[in-house]
Amino acid sequence: MLDWSRHQGATPCGPQRVTFAPDVANALPPEQTAIAPLVHLGVLEIHGQGAVRFLQGQTSAQAELADGRGAPLTCFCTAKGRMLANAQLLRIDAERLWLIMPVERIAPLQAHLGKFAPFYQVTLSARDDLALVGVMGSDAAALSEAESGLTAPRPWQQAGDATLLLLNHPGPVPRRMLIASQEVMTAHWQRLAAKATPVGNAQWCLLDIQAGLAWVGDAHQDAYLPQMFNWEALGGISFKKGCYTGQEVVARAHFRGQVKKRLSRLQCTGDALPAPGDGVEDANGKRQGDVVAAEFDAHGRIELLAVLSTREVAEPLAVAGHPCTPQELPYALERLDPETLFAAS
């Protein structure tokens, strides 16, 4: 994906980050439509007649909800309920499902799931031949519909097929994701670039932060319960399905109210972005949580997501000595059953 983006004029500017112009990356007003190569994301494919049954025993989602229209959030846990990875689950055809997830976690998850794959006669493969492109801004829906010939789906739904997929992700501005082979996507990119501004993928990552949507990276693996990423509030956990790895711990934490940390939005100032895993301290200098993701916004401020203690703490919180201001999440911290979410859609 990174090599493909270079052919479109992108320049690497950090691990799994590209840019087109350093002063443009996050500075676009929401009414201006932009496109970005999503080089930080990739696709893990599960292929075989037993693909759905295989995933049903491994993932927090009801695998059947990925039916070619619904594309639910999901996660994979250890036996102790800690997340190894989280993803969006797509059905491509009767024997093929895709997991959209951070590219850095694809190989580790493939190795983990590969231990069980032979029992279900499924194969796992990283789809390095695919390109993922984000379309953002007030005209994102219209532009992506016109380019793809597909009707823009509702959030966490998909439209299209393996040739070209269109997804709808929530956020403070409309945004869509297109997925196709690199060869097919090149032609789409060239036409999109004539109508929208190419920007770095930091812009998409900023919108994830503003949407309260966090992804498990290498710094977070085996560290957090799904609820600590607010995953049940986003419809990413089914409490109505059968067993899956880690299910007992995840369910017990929910029904006994034992979630002691939660994903929160913060805003602060500074010249350098905090790194995943950096500490968030209270007014007494005591560590109260960890940074999950951070990006600069259009005003040069740092917006970040952090997993913080749910206890009352001495404020203000600070990261690297910079005071932080809490920001509202765009969703309620309450259980959202995916069965209800997709029944309503």
Side-chain angles (χ1 to χ4, degrees):
M1 179 61 179
L2 183 58
D3 289 339
W4 176 85
S5 70
R6 289 181 182 179
H7 291 301
Q8 316 316 315
T11 301
C13 60
Q16 299 163 9
R17 288 291 187 274
V18 295
T19 187
F20 288 84
D23 58 340
V24 168
N26 292 332
L28 292 179
E31 63 271 14
Q32 185 168 344
T33 305
I35 55 173
L38 305 181
V39 300
H40 61 293
L41 299 175
V43 173
L44 178 62
E45 178 176 285
I46 300 93
H47 183 214
Q49 290 185 350
V52 173
R53 289 190 299 111
F54 169 68
L55 284 179
Q56 187 71 359
Q58 295 294 331
T59 183
S60 65
Q62 286 278 15
E64 292 88 350
L65 292 177
D67 58 3
R69 185 182 65 171
L73 293 173
T74 191
C75 66
F76 297 83
C77 299
T78 67
K80 294 183 178 181
R82 267 52 182 179
M83 290 189 294
L84 293 170
N86 56 353
Q88 184 179 13
L89 178 61
L90 282 59
R91 173 74 67 87
I92 305 304
D93 56 42
E95 298 185 2
R96 196 181 313 271
L97 294 105
W98 286 357
L99 291 167
I100 302 174
M101 57 186 295
V103 68
E104 66 190 273
R105 297 305 302 158
I106 289 179
L109 184 63
Q110 183 177 359
H112 171 74
L113 296 178
K115 296 179 290 186
F116 313 104
F119 299 106
Y120 294 85
Q121 297 183 319
V122 299
T123 59
L124 306 171
S125 57
R127 291 296 306 269
D128 297 329
D129 59 312
L130 298 174
L132 289 69
V133 168
V135 185
M136 302 155 280
S138 57
D139 293 332
L143 182 57
S144 58
E145 281 193 18
E147 178 58 33
S148 65
L150 301 168
T151 300
R154 296 178 63 177
W156 306 125
Q157 289 190 353
Q158 67 182 82
D161 53 30
T163 302
L164 180 63
L165 278 171
L166 176 63
L167 307 175
N168 182 345
H169 281 202
V173 299
R175 58 175 177 158
R176 304 292 186 268
M177 183 188 296
L178 291 169
I179 307 175
S181 70
Q182 294 181 8
E183 181 180 2
V184 169
M185 188 63 79
T186 296
H188 288 298
W189 177 272
Q190 291 172 352
R191 289 191 293 268
L192 288 167
K195 301 176 181 178
T197 303
V199 298
N201 57 321
Q203 178 73 10
W204 184 273
C205 296
L206 174 65
L207 294 177
D208 270 347
I209 289 173
Q210 293 172 340
L213 181 61
W215 300 100
V216 176
D218 288 345
H220 319 123
Q221 63 149 335
D222 199 12
Y224 301 119
L225 293 169
Q227 292 98 321
M228 295 178 183
F229 270 35
N230 300 342
W231 217 234
E232 88 282 28
L234 292 162
I237 306 174
S238 172
F239 293 97
K240 299 181 179 181
K241 64 174 286 184
C243 293
Y244 59 90
T245 304
Q247 180 263 346
E248 182 178 354
V249 177
V250 173
R252 184 167 61 244
H254 171 71
F255 289 110
R256 294 185 180 180
Q258 295 176 334
V259 181
K260 298 180 180 179
K261 297 179 180 180
R262 281 286 186 181
L263 189 74
S264 302
R265 282 185 64 203
L266 299 171
Q267 188 180 86
C268 65
T269 58
D271 297 327
L273 288 176
D278 282 358
V280 181
E281 298 180 341
D282 63 18
N284 299 320
K286 184 177 180 180
R287 188 167 181 146
Q288 296 292 346
D290 306 293
V291 173
V292 174
E295 297 291 346
F296 287 109
D297 68 11
H299 305 286
R301 298 169 303 204
I302 296 172
E303 297 206 29
L304 59 89
L305 294 174
V307 174
L308 300 176
S309 170
T310 57
R311 297 174 302 177
E312 187 174 345
V313 300
E315 295 185 347
L317 297 173
V319 176
H322 297 285
C324 296
T325 303
Q327 306 292 302
E328 287 190 11
L329 289 166
Y331 49 79
L333 283 178
E334 57 188 36
R335 170 176 158 181
L336 174 61
D337 289 328
E339 295 84 358
T340 302
L341 175 65
F342 289 100
S345 60

